[in-house]
Amino acid sequence: MIYEAGSGHIGGSLSSLDILVILFYEVMRFDPHRPFWEERDRFILSKGHSVEAYYAVLADLGFFPREELRNYCRFGSRLTGHPTTKVPGVEVNTGSLGHGLAVGAGMAMAGKMDQKGYKVYVLMGDGELGEGSVWEAAQIAAHYKLDNLIGIVDRNRLQISGCTEDILRLEDLMNKWSAFGWEVLNVDGHNFEELLKIFKAVPLTKNKPHVIIAHTTKGKGISFMENDRSWHHRVPSKEELEKALGELSTKLREFEENE
């Protein structure tokens, strides 16, 4: 998608893809044929620039035809570089960082008021946590005891301009969220078993919102992209594309042989 469009955020899409897979294929309640089903769980991609992984999952699940992925970022396509509600399965337009958690808190509060059983999942980038609006939303969610709200931090430790700890130090991240009144959990963001176990377990504590700090690798799965901040927003050359697809094909073959 990114190669053909000549634009995209491949590093953060690959770091968050395993999280999306577990959420959409194993955890969340939804119906691709009824995207506005009232009882559905809600998902917000607050780090909206990593939309390629999101579109791939939605298309695979039947929210829209998989062939439409080829139109990504092309003139007139609804598959733009940040998610919009023109795309079935997208709950809210995102892209301006720091807004997703506040919207998610509003959805969670509405669920409580309407006595609905749905959960709201908000996936944030770690660089995004430099936005003050995230912490305003965190304070509100704790105040209103929104235990149906689950925040997820894609903790790959890199943002467009470098390491998060060099740009604006985040640690001690667990204690920060805890101080705001959240139940805090850590997980390997690429371990399916751990992700599934932790998502199935929440909420662990009644009357508290939960945040899952998922430790991930930017560019996960492609050797020359992993932990390289230049792949935050970069388009592979034809040679790089072929090498990346070759590596992924090898991993897929090995996985199938071990099943």
Side-chain angles (χ1 to χ4, degrees):
M1 290 166 60
I2 291 170
Y3 174 76
E4 292 186 3
S7 178
H9 294 80
I10 196 165
S13 286
L14 290 172
S15 68
S16 60
L17 185 55
D18 293 332
I19 298 166
L20 293 178
V21 166
I22 290 297
L23 278 176
F24 277 89
Y25 292 84
E26 297 289 344
V27 176
M28 290 174 54
R29 297 180 305 162
F30 58 85
D31 183 350
H33 305 294
R34 293 186 296 157
F36 296 109
W37 176 42
E38 285 192 6
E39 302 299 327
R40 73 191 182 280
D41 290 326
R42 275 69 167 167
F43 173 79
I44 297 174
L45 182 67
S46 191
K47 46 174 284 181
H49 55 279
S50 296
V51 74
E52 298 85 6
Y54 193 17
Y55 287 160
V57 167
L58 292 177
D60 188 58
L61 289 168
F63 281 93
F64 59 87
R66 293 176 68 174
E67 296 74 27
E68 195 173 336
L69 293 174
R70 293 192 173 276
N71 296 331
Y72 171 64
C73 272
R74 298 205 174 169
F75 181 75
S77 172
R78 60 183 174 175
L79 302 184
T80 56
H82 292 84
T84 75
T85 52
K86 293 179 180 179
V87 181
V90 174
E91 297 285 349
V92 62
N93 296 7
T94 57
S96 296
L97 297 175
H99 294 178
L101 191 62
V103 176
M107 289 180 175
M109 191 180 298
K112 290 284 189 182
M113 294 172 69
D114 293 340
Q115 297 184 331
K116 298 291 185 181
Y118 64 75
K119 295 176 183 174
V120 182
Y121 298 87
V122 181
L123 179 57
M124 298 168 278
D126 50 4
E128 180 179 3
L129 301 187
E131 299 282 355
S133 50
V134 171
W135 301 103
E136 292 177 35
Q139 184 171 273
I140 288 169
H143 177 78
Y144 288 103
K145 303 177 181 179
L146 301 179
D147 54 7
N148 56 341
L149 176 64
I150 299 99
I152 309 143
V153 178
D154 181 6
R155 187 70 171 113
N156 60 38
R157 307 185 75 87
L158 289 173
Q159 56 191 96
I160 191 169
S161 45
C163 174
T164 57
E165 302 311 286
D166 294 332
I167 306 303
L168 186 62
R169 186 164 57 87
L170 296 175
E171 296 299 343
D172 184 346
L173 200 51
M174 284 190 68
N175 281 336
K176 283 181 180 175
W177 283 100
S178 181
F180 272 78
W182 287 57
E183 186 73 29
V184 189
L185 304 159
N186 268 299
V187 68
D188 177 346
H190 300 302
N191 185 307
F192 280 3
E193 290 183 1
E194 285 188 23
L195 285 167
L196 183 58
K197 182 179 179 180
I198 209 163
F199 279 126
K200 289 285 190 179
V202 294
L204 290 171
T205 305
K206 192 172 175 59
N207 294 327
K208 291 181 75 172
H210 288 55
V211 63
I212 298 168
I213 301 174
H215 298 274
T216 61
T217 300
K218 197 145 193 164
K220 177 67 175 177
I222 300 175
S223 61
F224 59 91
M225 293 184 184
E226 289 190 354
N227 289 316
D228 184 345
R229 73 174 178 86
S230 70
W231 286 102
H232 177 92
H233 185 264
R234 179 176 162 188
V235 178
S237 65
K238 184 178 180 181
E239 293 75 20
E240 289 170 330
L241 175 67
E242 291 174 352
K243 183 178 180 183
L245 292 177
E247 289 189 12
L248 293 175
S249 295
T250 299
K251 292 179 189 297
L252 181 59
R253 235 180 358 257
E254 291 173 350
F255 173 77
E256 291 173 340
E257 289 171 358
N258 292 326
E259 280 294 292

